[in-house]
């Protein structure tokens, strides 16, 4: 039987790009709520200390482990050796924490954190430029794995690899493992099931992210930004939006994926209390995963 572990991102509690979308809770309270919701792991964020001497006792107290975390990479414009230096401290911390991977997010030229830059001004590159970029990402990925902590590439709205076609191109021109994000791919207009069919062999981490499709469809991408979409409620937890996680988990189980399913849903914590949403999301994911033949870690 395939094994599945359920985790969550702290972005439901604290949004690093939208200070107004942050709940007034401590790190200890955040971890406690994640544990209360039944999560086995939590990804890290800016409020997490990069020290297991400091973080370890908190995680142990609540029975929650580190199940990944974001690294803001700049390989599109930068140098592999520079990125090795930039990631070094986080890389060491993740090794000590026993995390499954680092989520590599390309932030060079990205508009994802720019409130006043519309979605249609995202960076775009040619196939030849993607070939060069893919080699750099592959070299960096190979180094990370050799040093004991693999990365997983996170396609993302507003970034250079956003659409299904851009992801296909990156996969052709690189050997990098893939962090598959259901919400970002749906937001980008891609077909999640086709992505699973085409790239399941590269998937090493999954973000189980739901979208409110009417919100996404109602956006004016020539004037509204990614953060505008977040404020409007484009994202939510599984079971609260428009995606069919029963079908998605069946598709993944059919391809033999096992490992982490991490819920990530940045939205207003006042209108969508993080604990209540975490409970709702976990219930839906546990139902979907068990129906798809997974054994879910309790």
């Amino acid at each position: 039987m395939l094994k599945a572990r359920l985790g969550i991102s702290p972005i439901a509690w604290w949004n690093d790009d939208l200070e107004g979308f942050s709940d007034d809770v401590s790190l200890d309270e955040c971890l406690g709520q994640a544990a209360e919701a039944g999560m086995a792991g939590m990804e890290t964020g800016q409020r997490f200390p990069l020290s297991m001497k400091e973080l370890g006792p908190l995680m142990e107290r609540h029975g929650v482990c580190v199940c990944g975390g974001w690294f803001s990479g700049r390989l599109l414009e930068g140098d592999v050796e520079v990125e090795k230096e930039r990631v070094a401290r986080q890389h060491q911390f993740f090794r000590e924490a026993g995390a499954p991977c680092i989520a590599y997010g390309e932030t060079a030229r990205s508009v994802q954190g720019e409130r006043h830059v519309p979605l249609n001004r995202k960076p775009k590159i040619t196939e030849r430029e993607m070939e060069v970029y893919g080699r750099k990402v592959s070299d960096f990925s190979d180094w990370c794995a050799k040093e004991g902590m693999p990365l997983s590439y996170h396609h993302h709205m507003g970034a250079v690899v956003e659409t299904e076609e851009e992801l296909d191109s990156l996969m052709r021109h690189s050997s990098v493992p893939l962090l598959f994000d259901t919400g970002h791919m749906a937001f980008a207009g891609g077909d999640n099931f086709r992505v699973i069919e085409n790239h399941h062999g590269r998937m090493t981490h999954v973000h189980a992210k739901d979208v409110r499709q009417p919100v996404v469809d109602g956006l004016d991408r020539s004037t509204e930004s990614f953060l505008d979409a977040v404020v409007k409620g484009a994202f939510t937890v599984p079971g609260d939006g428009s995606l069919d996680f029963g079908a998605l988990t069946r598709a993944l189980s059919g391809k033999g994926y096992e490992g982490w399913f991490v819920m990530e849903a940045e939205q207003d914590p006042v209108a969508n209390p993080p604990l209540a949403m975490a409970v709702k999301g976990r219930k839906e994911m546990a139902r979907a995963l068990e129906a798809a033949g997974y054994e879910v870690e309790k």
Side-chain angles (χ1 to χ4, degrees), residues 176-297:
V176 66
L178 175 62
L179 189 162
F180 173 50
D181 189 302
T182 57
H184 278 279
M185 185 50 62
F187 193 147
D191 184 324
N192 275 317
F193 297 97
R194 190 163 55 222
V195 171
I196 293 170
E197 179 66 31
N198 291 339
H199 306 303
H200 60 88
R202 304 277 285 275
M203 293 178 183
T204 57
H205 206 60
V206 170
H207 277 180
K209 189 169 194 166
D210 210 339
V211 296
R212 296 183 176 97
Q213 199 63 47
V215 175
V216 173
D217 292 343
L219 293 169
D220 181 348
R221 301 189 185 208
S222 68
T223 62
E224 294 182 285
S225 68
F226 173 70
L227 294 180
D228 287 335
V230 171
V231 170
K232 286 189 169 185
F235 294 128
T236 187
V237 297
D240 192 56
S242 306
L243 299 185
D244 184 348
F245 281 89
L248 286 166
T249 53
R250 286 195 300 273
L252 287 164
S253 70
K255 297 301 182 183
Y257 173 83
E258 60 181 342
W260 283 100
F261 291 81
V262 179
M263 287 184 291
E264 184 191 41
E266 55 265 56
Q267 54 185 329
D268 185 348
V270 175
N272 306 275
L275 174 56
M277 297 306 286
V279 170
K280 184 173 189 175
R282 191 198 185 284
K283 181 179 180 180
E284 169 61 13
M285 285 305 298
R287 180 204 66 77
L289 287 164
E290 288 168 0
Y294 283 96
E295 179 182 343
V296 182
E297 178 181 280

Side-chain angles (χ1 to χ4, degrees), residues 5 31 39-43 59 63-68 97-98 100 260 297:
R5 306 184 77 186
L31 293 170
M39 301 301 168
M42 178 171 268
E43 292 191 345
M59 305 291 279
V64 177
C65 68
V66 175
C67 63
W260 283 100
E297 178 181 280

Side-chain angles (χ1 to χ4, degrees), residues 95-106:
R95 291 198 305 269
E96 293 171 356
C101 64
I102 290 177
Y104 181 94
E106 184 59 60

Side-chain angles (χ1 to χ4, degrees), residues 94-238:
F94 271 33
R95 291 198 305 269
E96 293 171 356
C101 64
I102 290 177
Y104 181 94
E106 184 59 60
T107 58
R109 303 186 211 167
S110 175
V111 303
Q112 67 199 63
E114 304 295 330
R115 181 70 187 270
H116 302 295
V117 180
L119 281 159
N120 70 353
R121 287 177 56 189
K122 71 168 290 294
K124 297 179 182 179
I125 60 176
T126 66
E127 188 80 4
R128 173 58 184 156
E129 289 171 321
M130 185 67 82
E131 185 177 354
V132 173
Y133 176 62
R135 284 200 299 269
K136 290 167 71 175
V137 173
S138 297
D139 289 345
F140 185 63
S141 173
D142 290 345
W143 176 84
C144 285
K146 184 178 179 181
E147 292 296 309
M149 179 49 56
L151 65 79
S152 196
Y153 191 99
H154 191 333
H155 57 98
H156 200 288
M157 289 300 301
V160 68
V161 178
E162 172 190 283
T163 67
E164 184 180 350
E165 293 75 17
E166 288 164 345
L167 179 59
D168 289 343
S169 181
L170 177 68
M171 293 292 98
R172 281 196 301 273
H173 295 302
S174 77
S175 58
V176 66
L178 175 62
L179 189 162
F180 173 50
D181 189 302
T182 57
H184 278 279
M185 185 50 62
F187 193 147
D191 184 324
N192 275 317
F193 297 97
R194 190 163 55 222
V195 171
I196 293 170
E197 179 66 31
N198 291 339
H199 306 303
H200 60 88
R202 304 277 285 275
M203 293 178 183
T204 57
H205 206 60
V206 170
H207 277 180
K209 189 169 194 166
D210 210 339
V211 296
R212 296 183 176 97
Q213 199 63 47
V215 175
V216 173
D217 292 343
L219 293 169
D220 181 348
R221 301 189 185 208
S222 68
T223 62
E224 294 182 285
S225 68
F226 173 70
L227 294 180
D228 287 335
V230 171
V231 170
K232 286 189 169 185
F235 294 128
T236 187
V237 297

